[in-house]
């Protein structure tokens, strides 16, 4: 879901009143992919520590918005100043919902790893990794698409 808008002040270089730069969440997905891959490859307790850190990043994005994540800070500080303005801006609500979905998978994975259910933890992390890779490589945000489907379904039910 994208909207066209004019840029805000220099302080909000990666954001407008109507949306966010869609390349920011895509970079976050790439970084998340690296972390989740490391979780799958590293032995305990390193996998648990990395997954807890990723869960904290997801929680930040879910609670405070994607603009408040460490990934967004990296994008805003290091990447965005070197890029031209995007042709379209993205609404922040779908990526925020996607962060909540990622948090759910990370928490399931974390609890499973802590409980000794390694296979369950790895499956949860693997599913989150697939979603992050789809976003990073193709710009397909599964959580965002789920958000839009839920919005359409609830809008139809309210209109009926």
């Amino acid at each position: 879901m994208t909207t066209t808008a004019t840029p805000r002040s220099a302080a909000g270089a990666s954001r407008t009143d109507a949306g966010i730069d869609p390349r920011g969440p895509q970079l976050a997905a790439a970084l998340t992919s690296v972390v989740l891959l490391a979780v799958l490859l590293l032995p305990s307790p390193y996998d648990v520590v990395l997954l807890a850190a990723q869960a904290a990043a997801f929680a930040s994005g879910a609670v405070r918005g994607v603009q408040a994540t460490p990934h967004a800070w990296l994008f805003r500080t290091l990447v965005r100043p070197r890029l031209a303005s995007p042709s379209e801006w993205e609404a922040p609500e779908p990526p925020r919902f996607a962060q909540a979905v990622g948090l759910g998978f990370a928490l399931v994975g974390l609890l499973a790893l802590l409980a000794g259910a390694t296979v369950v933890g790895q499956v949860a992390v693997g599913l989150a990794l697939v979603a992050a890779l789809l976003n990073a490589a193709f710009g397909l945000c599964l959580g965002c698409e789920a958000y839009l489907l839920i919005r359409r379904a609830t809008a139809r039910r309210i209109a009926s």
Side-chain angles (χ1 to χ4, degrees), residues 42-55:
L42 291 174
S44 191
Y46 305 109
D47 58 348
V48 172
V49 171
L50 271 180
L51 189 53
Q54 183 58 55

Side-chain angles (χ1 to χ4, degrees), residues 10 27 37 44 50 80 90 105-106 108 122 132 149 154:
L27 173 68
L37 183 61
S44 191
L50 271 180
R80 178 70 181 96
E90 183 175 44
F105 279 99
V108 167
Q122 289 177 336
L149 287 171
T154 56

Side-chain angles (χ1 to χ4, degrees), residues 136-160:
F138 303 109
L140 174 62
C141 174
L142 294 178
C144 300
E145 295 300 323
Y147 173 85
L148 295 174
L149 287 171
I150 292 167
R151 287 286 306 246
R152 281 188 215 125
T154 56
R156 282 189 202 123
R157 193 170 18 157
I158 292 170
S160 306

Side-chain angles (χ1 to χ4, degrees), residues 15-153:
R15 206 170 108 173
T16 70
D17 288 336
I20 58 172
D21 187 331
R23 298 170 293 188
Q26 201 166 359
L27 173 68
L31 296 172
T32 298
S33 297
V34 171
V35 171
L36 294 175
L37 183 61
V39 168
L40 291 174
L41 296 175
L42 291 174
S44 191
Y46 305 109
D47 58 348
V48 172
V49 171
L50 271 180
L51 189 53
Q54 183 58 55
F58 281 142
S60 174
V63 172
R64 298 175 50 217
V66 293
Q67 305 90 334
T69 64
H71 302 102
W73 179 85
L74 284 172
F75 178 75
R76 204 172 34 253
T77 305
L78 301 176
V79 178
R80 178 70 181 96
R82 292 167 175 76
L83 301 174
S85 290
S87 57
E88 294 181 324
W89 297 89
E90 183 175 44
E93 296 84 8
R96 186 174 187 170
F97 179 81
Q99 292 286 302
V101 172
L103 175 61
F105 279 99
L107 290 177
V108 167
L110 190 57
L111 292 173
L113 291 174
L114 289 170
T118 306
V119 173
V120 174
Q122 289 177 336
V123 168
V125 171
L127 291 171
L129 175 60
V130 167
L133 285 171
L134 284 171
N135 193 354
F138 303 109
L140 174 62
C141 174
L142 294 178
C144 300
E145 295 300 323
Y147 173 85
L148 295 174
L149 287 171
I150 292 167
R151 287 286 306 246
R152 281 188 215 125

